[in-house]
Amino acid sequence: KPLISAHGPANDSARNNSDCPHVVLPDEVFFTISVVGVLENLLVLLAVIRNKNLQSPMYLFICSLAVSDMLGSLYKILENILIMFRNTGYLEPRGTFETTADDIIDSLFVLSLLGSISSLSVIAADRYLTIFHALQYHSIMTMRRTVIILGVVWTFCTGSGITMVIFSHHVPTVLTFASLFPLMLVFILGLYVHMFLLARSHARKISRLPRTNMKGALTLTILLGVFIFCWAPFVLHILLMTFCPNNPYCACYMSLFQVNGMLIMCNAVIDPLIYAFRSPELRQAFKNMLFCSRCQ
C-alpha cells in the first residue's frame, strides 16, 4: 500500500537506481521491542486505574498517549504473527482473510499516529490551562469534560484511521496523513509562543505557581521531542515513496525503511520511561505494583 507499505521497502525500480543497500533488521528485534512497549504502556494504564490519586485530567491524557503507543506496538506484533502464519502456509498469500487482517492491522498503525498527535495536543492545552488559568483550572477541566474530550478525540481518530486505510492509494490521503505532523507542531508551537509572551508579562505571577505546573510543561516538551524524532523519518519515507519513488536519492533514504519503523516502536518504549522519570507519583505507583511485597 502506498500509505503504509508495512511489508516492504522501496520498489524494485527505485532500488535499481540506487547503490544504497537495503537495511534489514531481524524480526525478533521488532517483536521484542513491541512486546516491551505493550507491557510498559499497559503498566501505565494499570497504575492510573489502581491509584485514585492519579485519576486526574492530566493522567487521563497521559493514558490516552499510552494507549496510542500501545496500539503502535500491538500493530507490529500482529503483523509479525500474520506474516508467520502466511510463511508457514496457514494463510493463502494475498487471500481474502489476509487482506482483511492486513487492513485491520494497518488501521491500528494509523490510529496510533492519530492518537499520539491528538493526545499530545490535548496535553499541551491542559498544560497551558494549568499555568495561565491555575485558579480556574479545576472548574474548567473537570473529569466529566476530560472524558468527553477523550471520547470525541478517539471517535475522530478511529473514523479517520479507517478512512485513511480504505483510501490509502490516493495521493490526497497521503498528503493528509503527512500534514497532520506539521499541523500538530503549529498548534503546540502557537501555544508555546503565547505562553512565552504571557510569561514575560506575568513573570511574578508564574513564579508563584506550583513547580509541578512548570514541570508538566517541560515533560510535554520532552515527549514532543521524542515523538518528532521517532515518527518524522517514517513520515518523510511516506512522502518520498509517493512523490519520488524512482529517484536514486529518495531510494537511498527509503533503504532505511526498517530503521525508521524501529524508531516508531522505540517511541512506545521511551514514553513510559519519561512518565516515570518526570512524575514521582507515577514512579511510586510503579514501585508499589512491581514490588508490592517489599513495600508492605
Side-chain angles (χ1 to χ4, degrees):
K1 293 182 180 179
L3 178 61
I4 298 175
S5 187
H7 296 153
N11 58 39
D12 292 335
S13 59
R15 286 200 300 270
N16 291 336
N17 294 330
S18 172
D19 295 330
C20 300
H22 174 56
V23 178
V24 179
L25 299 178
D27 289 337
E28 293 79 9
V29 173
F30 282 99
F31 189 79
T32 301
I33 295 176
S34 299
V35 170
V36 173
V38 169
L39 294 178
E40 284 187 358
N41 286 282
L42 185 60
L43 188 63
V44 173
L45 297 179
L46 291 176
V48 174
I49 292 173
R50 295 181 57 177
N51 293 270
K52 291 186 178 181
N53 60 318
L54 296 179
Q55 295 174 7
S56 63
M58 179 183 71
Y59 283 108
L60 288 185
F61 292 140
I62 287 179
C63 283
S64 177
L65 184 59
V67 170
S68 302
D69 289 337
M70 193 160 57
L71 288 176
S73 297
L74 187 61
Y75 146 82
K76 192 60 184 177
I77 293 174
L78 294 177
E79 184 191 58
N80 283 356
I81 293 174
L82 184 65
I83 294 175
M84 180 184 68
F85 277 112
R86 183 184 62 186
N87 292 341
T88 54
Y90 288 99
L91 286 179
E92 178 187 356
R94 300 182 182 275
T96 304
F97 178 83
E98 183 187 6
T99 302
T100 303
D102 193 50
D103 287 339
I104 295 173
I105 293 173
D106 288 345
S107 297
L108 291 179
F109 178 83
V110 179
L111 184 58
S112 174
L113 175 62
L114 296 178
S116 296
I117 290 175
S118 301
S119 298
L120 286 169
S121 298
V122 295
I123 290 174
D126 181 72
R127 292 300 88 200
Y128 175 86
L129 291 175
T130 60
I131 294 174
F132 295 103
H133 300 278
L135 297 178
Q136 300 85 17
Y137 174 78
H138 292 291
S139 60
I140 295 174
M141 191 59 67
T142 62
M143 289 295 289
R144 182 175 180 272
R145 287 178 179 172
T146 301
V147 173
I148 292 175
I149 291 172
L150 291 177
V152 172
V153 163
W154 281 99
T155 299
F156 170 77
C157 291
T158 302
S160 300
I162 295 174
T163 303
M164 284 186 177
V165 171
I166 293 175
F167 299 100
S168 60
H169 56 286
H170 296 291
V171 172
T173 305
V174 177
L175 292 176
T176 302
F177 181 86
S179 66
L180 294 173
F181 225 81
L183 286 175
M184 178 201 65
L185 294 180
V186 168
F187 172 74
I188 297 180
L189 182 61
L191 281 181
Y192 272 39
V193 171
H194 191 52
M195 288 166 65
F196 175 75
L197 295 176
L198 286 177
R200 293 184 61 184
S201 59
H202 297 81
R204 187 173 301 175
K205 178 182 177 182
I206 292 176
S207 65
R208 295 195 298 266
L209 288 175
R211 291 184 60 188
T212 53
N213 289 3
M214 301 305 296
K215 191 175 182 180
L218 180 58
T219 301
L220 169 65
T221 305
I222 297 173
L223 288 171
L224 181 62
V226 171
F227 176 78
I228 295 173
F229 177 80
C230 292
W231 278 89
F234 182 83
V235 175
L236 178 60
H237 176 97
I238 295 297
L239 292 174
L240 296 181
M241 187 168 56
T242 302
F243 296 106
C244 60
N246 298 318
N247 184 286
Y249 296 103
C250 295
C252 190
Y253 178 83
M254 287 187 287
S255 67
L256 300 175
F257 173 79
Q258 292 197 4
V259 176
N260 297 337
M262 187 182 66
L263 284 176
I264 295 175
M265 300 299 106
C266 289
N267 184 42
V269 175
I270 296 173
D271 280 352
L273 300 179
I274 296 174
Y275 309 148
F277 180 75
R278 301 290 303 174
S279 172
E281 297 86 1
L282 195 55
R283 186 164 60 248
Q284 185 60 45
F286 289 158
K287 289 180 180 178
N288 292 340
M289 291 176 60
L290 296 175
F291 311 106
C292 56
S293 58
R294 297 182 184 179
C295 295
Q296 292 174 356

